[in-house]
Amino acid sequence: MDERIWAEQVSEKIKRKMRTVAERSRDKIPYTTVDGVFDDWRKKDICWWTNGFWGGMMWQLYHATGDAFYKEAAQDNEAWLDENLMCSRGMDHDSGFKWLPTAVADYRVTGNPDSRNRGLLAANDLAGRFNPVGRFIRAWNDGGEGGKAGWAIIDCLMNLPLLYWAWEEINDPRFLHIATMHADTAERYFLRRDGSVNHIVEFNPMTGEYVQSFGGQGVAVGSSWTRGQAWALYGFTLSYLHTKQERYLEDAKRVAHYFIANISESGLIPVDFRQPIDCTWEDSTAAAIAACGLLEIEKCVDACEKHVFHDAAIRLLTALEEKRCCWSPDCDNLLEKCTAAYHDAKHEFSIIYGDYFFIEAVWKLTGQELFIW
Ligand code: GLY
């Protein structure tokens, strides 16, 4: 089938399913499904790092359909997150994931000054996590004991666009400098020569010296957690898009070539590219995120190499659509077989950001995307 027709058909299926799902999930901020029904992290933990993706889905659907229902749902999600914005223990490196798809998206669409205010507060907090001697943005909090004060993670590259947005919005280059210094640190200490990346790197928070790396949500030190590869692939691309510094595009391409070389015959993505050979656990989120990054890289490279990134994205997305999507209107999630971390007790369930990035990728292919990052 013609690829454009395929993408349009998938887009229509998403719209048909999501209107029903969004209506019955009106007061929730979902993370996963239990027996096909979305849970609700608005009540469970308003500071959970994924709590912006539902709002992002609503904005993407609003942008594509003009249906005011989605706009109201997105704005409710944004307002509920104010409780998080006032809670220092719940503020961390993931502010971009929470406030770019909600407040900043709202501001971009409607110009709402309250949304701009939320975005700037979140950006200031994120900038405040920067460690100037180690030149990295601190990742998680740890109850104030300082045990993780030197930890940085690859995922953070995806949060830098909140700083790029603040830089452009108030014309203050501090935000640019912090974002690029962190990206440079990621390039130096996370990106390996073969294009794979570390998940966690620990620095001495007093001196800035490198201490060690951890396997994090992947198998072990030196392994290759696929969602981390996808965050790096898309994250370096975004730093290139915002700064036009060529080396970030080169970094993104290095990760992309490594990722593409590891896509199996099935087009489905494991939890870790270096997991034991007899382990079949998958992570569909990694495939959806990587597809988004690949489609952005495609736009930035010369005509002669566009097909490399485009074709890989299509392989990932067609595999997801054919084998890992639930199209029934009775089940709330889209993607199946998502995994949060290799060593967790539970694997292969639905996760909201898998659905978000799948929609974003299909919207990129059909020209309906609201650019969030
Ligand atoms: N940012 C955390 C994760 O990707 O699981």
Side-chain angles (χ1 to χ4, degrees), residues 68-95:
F69 171 87
Y70 292 120
K71 180 175 155 187
E72 284 160 24
Q75 288 176 330
D76 280 349
N77 189 147
E78 174 186 342
W80 295 331
L81 284 181
D82 284 357
E83 192 183 334
N84 184 171
L85 210 47
M86 288 303 295
C87 173
S88 66
R89 68 146 191 93
M91 296 297 289
D92 59 23
H93 63 282
D94 281 326
S95 286

Side-chain angles (χ1 to χ4, degrees), residues 145-167:
E145 287 160 23
K148 288 184 184 151
W151 286 28
I153 60 173
I154 194 69
D155 325 23
C156 194
L157 283 176
M158 285 297 293
N159 289 286
L160 301 184
L162 181 63
L163 302 178
Y164 294 128
W165 170 76
W167 159 48

Side-chain angles (χ1 to χ4, degrees), residues 123-298:
N124 273 290
D125 190 90
L126 183 60
R129 301 184 72 81
F130 185 68
N131 181 315
V133 289
R135 299 161 77 93
F136 66 89
I137 291 172
R138 177 187 174 160
W140 299 288
N141 305 319
D142 55 357
E145 287 160 23
K148 288 184 184 151
W151 286 28
I153 60 173
I154 194 69
D155 325 23
C156 194
L157 283 176
M158 285 297 293
N159 289 286
L160 301 184
L162 181 63
L163 302 178
Y164 294 128
W165 170 76
W167 159 48
E168 285 155 13
E169 186 58 32
I170 59 171
N171 194 22
D172 182 342
R174 286 177 308 144
F175 294 99
L176 168 70
H177 297 322
I178 289 173
T180 53
M181 281 193 271
H182 179 90
D184 293 350
T185 299
E187 180 187 77
R188 180 158 176 213
Y189 291 101
F190 286 74
L191 180 54
R192 305 182 189 126
R193 288 169 74 91
D194 68 356
S196 67
V197 294
N198 292 314
H199 181 199
I200 302 173
V201 171
E202 181 183 5
F203 301 93
N204 180 321
M206 284 301 286
T207 65
E209 279 166 327
Y210 170 87
V211 178
Q212 60 186 323
S213 73
F214 299 105
Q217 285 161 251
V219 174
V221 178
S223 75
S224 176
W225 176 48
T226 55
R227 193 162 60 256
Q229 317 308 298
W231 291 143
L233 189 164
Y234 200 1
F236 278 124
T237 308
L238 291 166
S239 274
Y240 170 71
L241 289 177
H242 287 283
T243 67
K244 292 291 175 280
Q245 290 195 37
E246 282 293 328
R247 68 172 196 287
Y248 296 140
L249 182 58
E250 293 306 317
D251 296 339
K253 284 171 67 177
R254 180 141 50 112
V255 183
H257 285 304
Y258 166 83
F259 197 102
I260 293 167
N262 280 279
I263 301 175
S264 69
E265 191 94 350
S266 70
L268 301 169
I269 298 300
V271 179
D272 192 310
F273 282 131
R274 294 170 189 165
Q275 69 195 29
I277 203 93
D278 56 351
C279 174
T280 59
W281 291 332
E282 292 173 24
D283 180 16
S284 301
T285 73
I289 297 159
C292 288
L294 291 165
L295 291 172
E296 287 303 321
I297 296 177
E298 179 197 352

